[in-house]
Structure formats: structure tokens, C-alpha cells
Amino acid sequence: MCGRGACTLSKENLSCACAYKNSSGEYHKVPWMDNSELVYVQSCNIGPRDIVPCVVAGTHLKNEEERLLCPMLWGMIPPWHKGDYKKHTASTHNSRLDRILESKLYATPLRKGFKCIVLFDGFYEWKAGENKSPKQPYYIYAKQESGIKADDPKTWSNEWSLESGWKGYKPLKMAGIFNTFETVEGKIVYSCSVLTKDANQALSWLHDRTPIFLDEEQCQLWLDLEVSPYKAVEILKEQKLIEKFLSWHTVSTLVNNVSHKDVKCREQIEVKEKQKNSSAVFMASWLKRESGKSSKKNDTMSSDSIEEEINEDEIPAKITKKS
């Protein structure tokens, strides 16, 4: 499942971080589309119906570039929605891969080849607590190079060259699908959904569903319009998430409120063990102390066991009446 994320790389750095090798063997930045109705805004707490950066095949945007970056509304706008696209209330930020080909909402854009890559610095997931205790939020992100901390941008080198490509923070690349929506003013808005499937042992301890993460080879296959939708889906189904490719840490419940957008949302915290109830501690200590004592034998005799010795001499003599 993926319902909250962070993306704080600048537009320029995202272009570099999404770079791929061209036919000449050099790294090629992914440019942004022109004249988008939506605007990408960096944030540490992105929720459904916020704007996320996505990579699409340039053909979809009638562009000669092989790939383009496009800001999209996170949560696919249903084609039957009327009015302001910002007010659609459908829960469409995630789409189940196993049902996508039969879905009334997602099957059509998939058959059109409307596949995208949704970018996040990382995403948040909540682990259920024990005994109805509050859920603990986690921040999950790609494994970084030594010295790079996901919650500290000061450690991100963010270097770029044609020969070596991107040497900086590695964003997560998630498989997604998108669609277009025409506003009453005739403007085109792009919206997307993140594909999810059953989690394997890498993340099942946290949640039973997981986004589908892509490496460069998988990105190439997913965006390739020559690959049929059916084959593309089968490739994703067979993909296995390997734990060593991810990292995570616990974060504050500040992230629970989507209106909180600052850097504290993804800062690592140490979860303190809950202090035990003082009365419970006292009782446990008392029981332990008492169990160590040997029980004393009760020597007191009951009154039923006492025999009374009666002295016959003490019995009063019979009084004889005088005549």
C-alpha cells in the first residue's frame, strides 16, 4: 500500500536522477514537459490529490524526447467525474495489479499504453500496534550510498555528469498508470495511480501490500510502447522485491496529518519502550518476594481438640432438705 510519500528533490535534480543511457552510451537527462496545468511542489508529506512527478514516454505528450517528466495529480480522476477535478473523492491513488486488466477504471488507460513511473524520495507506511496501541509510522526509501542519509539533505552530494550520470540521492521509482482529464476550460490534466501487489518477506512485516519498485531495466520495459499491456503486467507480477534494495526507519506521528509538510515528518526517531504501569511493577515484585518465603506451619489447635479434665471433687454435694 502507498498512501503518503515525500519528494523534495528539485526539478533539475529530478531530471538528473531519472537520467538514462542513450544510444551513444551517454547519460541523458529527462526534461520536463512544457505548459503543464499542474505544478510540482516539493514536500515531505504528499497525500492523495497532491501533485507528484512522473516519467512517461514522450510519445504520449507528442514530444520527440524518449522520456519526459510530467507533474500529475496523485489519484486517477475517473472519466465520469464532472466539475472541478480537485474535488473528486474516489480512492484511486493505488491500483491492484492483480485486478487491473478487469478494472473499469484502469483497464482502458492500460490498454492505451498509459504507463508511467511515479517518483518519491520515499513513502510512509504504518505498522499496526499491539493491543490496540497506536500505529507506528515508518519511512521507506531506496538503499543509498554510504554517507547519504535519507532524512538529511545536507548529506546528498547530488552530482551529475554525462559520463557517470547521477551521483546523489536515489529516489524510488514506482510502476504506475495515468489518464487524461479535460477541464471545462479545455485544459488537459494528468492523473496517476501507483500499482501495488502482495508484499513478500521484504515488507510483509509492515503491510500486506507494496508498491512495485523498478530498476532502470524494468523502467525501460514498463515505458516501452512496443511491449503489450498483458506482457507488461505479467513482468511486474513476476518481479520479486529484494530486501537489500530498501531501507527504512521509524518517524514521528507528525506525519499522520497530511497538512504537516515540513522536514520533521521524515526525520528518524527512536521509539521508546512504553513505561510499565507502576502498580503492575509493584505487584510483580511483591509476588516474587512472597513466593520466595517458606510457608510456616500453623501450630494453633482448634477448640474442638481440647479435652477438659473435670475434677469430681469440685462438683457441689447434693443439698438435703431438713425435716
Side-chain angles (χ1 to χ4, degrees), residues 120-234:
F120 285 104
D121 292 356
F123 74 102
Y124 301 99
E125 192 56 83
W126 282 257
K127 181 176 175 59
E130 298 179 358
N131 300 323
K132 297 183 179 180
S133 60
K135 292 183 177 181
Q136 173 60 52
Y138 282 75
Y139 185 55
I140 300 97
Y141 46 94
K143 184 81 72 176
Q144 303 295 320
E145 297 295 333
S146 177
I148 294 181
K149 297 180 179 180
D151 59 348
D152 186 5
K154 293 179 181 178
T155 65
W156 305 359
S157 57
N158 295 348
E159 298 174 356
W160 158 263
S161 70
L162 290 173
E163 297 75 25
S164 303
W166 176 246
K167 299 295 182 182
Y169 188 85
K170 300 175 184 176
L172 288 173
K173 299 174 181 179
M174 303 179 184
I177 56 173
F178 73 94
N179 209 348
T180 58
F181 180 83
E182 186 173 355
T183 68
V184 292
E185 297 82 14
K187 296 181 179 179
I188 300 299
V189 173
Y190 294 86
S191 61
C192 66
S193 295
V194 171
L195 298 182
T196 67
K197 65 179 182 179
D198 291 338
N200 62 7
Q201 69 276 8
L203 283 179
S204 58
W205 60 272
L206 182 58
H207 200 281
D208 60 351
R209 304 287 299 176
T210 178
I212 301 170
F213 308 105
L214 306 175
D215 59 23
E216 176 51 35
E217 182 179 353
Q218 293 163 339
C219 286
Q220 184 67 38
L221 284 170
W222 182 242
L223 294 179
D224 191 345
L225 299 180
E226 298 298 322
V227 178
S228 73
Y230 303 98
K231 184 177 181 180
V233 168
E234 288 305 313

Side-chain angles (χ1 to χ4, degrees), residues 4 28 41 45 73 83 102 147 162 166 190 268 282 319:
R4 205 72 66 76
H28 184 70
V41 178
N45 196 358
L73 188 78
E102 295 78 34
L162 290 173
W166 176 246
Y190 294 86
Q268 183 172 3
F282 173 79
I319 299 175

Side-chain angles (χ1 to χ4, degrees), residues 33 52 54-62 68 70-79 92 95 100 105-118 174-181 188-195 222-223 225:
M33 68 172 292
V52 292
C54 299
V55 178
V56 299
T59 304
H60 292 307
L61 304 177
K62 299 179 180 180
L68 282 176
C70 174
M72 296 191 188
L73 188 78
W74 187 18
M76 188 178 291
I77 306 168
T92 55
S95 172
I100 194 170
L105 176 60
Y106 303 118
T108 298
L110 179 64
R111 293 190 183 101
K112 292 180 180 178
F114 286 1
K115 298 170 290 183
C116 64
I117 300 167
V118 187
M174 303 179 184
I177 56 173
F178 73 94
N179 209 348
T180 58
F181 180 83
I188 300 299
V189 173
Y190 294 86
S191 61
C192 66
S193 295
V194 171
L195 298 182
W222 182 242
L223 294 179
L225 299 180

Side-chain angles (χ1 to χ4, degrees), residues 11 32 36-42 50-52 71-72 85:
K11 292 181 67 174
W32 286 80
S36 172
E37 173 68 11
L38 304 177
V39 178
Y40 161 62
V41 178
Q42 297 157 261
D50 284 340
I51 311 303
V52 292
M72 296 191 188
Y85 66 86

